[in-house]
Amino acid sequence: MDASAEGDGEVSELIASANGPVRDLAFSPDSAWLTWSHPGIGRSLRQIKIAKLADRMIVDVTNGRFEDEPVSYT
């Protein structure tokens, strides 16, 4: 949701998964980036994804071969 002064408050979907819910959402300290643990194929496989919110660019940080979670910024 764009809650900035210039935004209109419209809600839009960034990504979806047919394999289950995303978990462990974490915003960067400047709120410019969002990371999460994304479900993969299989019972427990997950991958880390990161999105640059300004342009909605999504990058796969890990490849989903393991149980990658939780995400945190330091």
Side-chain angles (χ1 to χ4, degrees):
M1 180 172 144
D2 185 353
S4 67
E6 301 83 28
D8 58 7
E10 182 178 337
V11 176
S12 61
E13 185 174 74
L14 183 63
I15 195 167
S17 172
N19 299 319
V22 300
R23 294 195 307 230
D24 303 315
L25 296 169
F27 283 95
S28 64
D30 63 359
S31 298
W33 297 85
L34 175 65
T35 59
W36 64 93
S37 176
H38 196 87
I41 298 173
R43 290 178 40 132
S44 62
L45 298 179
R46 301 188 70 79
Q47 72 183 119
I48 302 300
K49 291 184 181 271
I50 187 168
K52 184 177 180 184
L53 297 177
D55 60 9
R56 302 176 56 87
M57 176 186 68
I58 298 173
V59 177
D60 295 340
V61 177
T62 61
N63 62 12
R65 291 178 42 211
F66 305 102
E67 290 184 46
D68 294 331
E69 59 184 296
V71 180
S72 65
Y73 286 90
T74 58

